[in-house]
Amino acid sequence: MGQISAGSVPDAIAKLNQRQKEECLKAEYEPLRVKAPCSAKDVTFAQLADTTKMTDAQKALFLKAASAMDSYSKSITDLYRQTGTPAGMKIADAREWAYSQSTNNRLELVDRKITWGTYLRNRQNIEQEMLKRAQ
């Protein structure tokens, strides 16, 4: 793909973010949202204090949800990179770093090496660092 105009990127990203949110809010993912909300900004204290580990039923649903969310995330990162602007490239790089960190965090949750609360704390830390790297 070639470069796209910077003006069309915000609209395209907004549409993809909206679709990703709608996907996350599907009824089938409700059991996961009890443990981990769609946005790291919506994590509650009780969720952070959750010391349980992932169940087999949660694992199957989590893997399905992660696959759906990842496709949106990758498309959004690609849009930033396609602008060819220094700011767009910096955001894309930050998002790619965060994706790598998030993958490791999710694997630890799925492999039952960490609790839901630890997963969420890690998720919040990854998002905060990504935002710093994107500036």
Side-chain angles (χ1 to χ4, degrees), residues 101-118:
Q101 298 299 306
S102 295
T103 298
N104 293 335
N105 189 37
R106 291 186 291 184
L107 280 172
E108 287 192 336
L109 178 67
V110 167
D111 291 343
R112 298 179 180 102
K113 293 179 181 176
I114 60 173
T115 65
W116 279 100
T118 299

Side-chain angles (χ1 to χ4, degrees), residues 13-55:
I13 289 172
K15 286 176 186 171
L16 285 171
N17 277 325
Q18 183 59 35
R19 287 188 199 136
Q20 185 178 36
K21 183 177 179 182
E22 289 167 2
E23 178 74 25
C24 185
L25 291 173
K26 284 184 175 178
E28 69 180 300
Y29 299 132
E30 176 60 27
L32 292 179
R33 286 194 305 275
V34 170
K35 294 289 191 178
C38 295
S39 172
K41 295 177 187 102
D42 296 331
V43 172
T44 66
F45 179 75
Q47 288 169 325
L48 288 172
D50 186 345
T51 59
T52 64
K53 293 191 175 178
M54 182 175 274
T55 66

Side-chain angles (χ1 to χ4, degrees), residues 78-104:
D78 288 345
L79 283 172
Y80 278 113
R81 189 156 310 284
Q82 289 172 37
T83 65
T85 65
M89 301 301 272
K90 192 169 188 179
I91 292 168
D93 289 345
R95 290 177 58 85
E96 286 174 354
W97 173 87
Y99 178 78
S100 171
Q101 298 299 306
S102 295
T103 298
N104 293 335

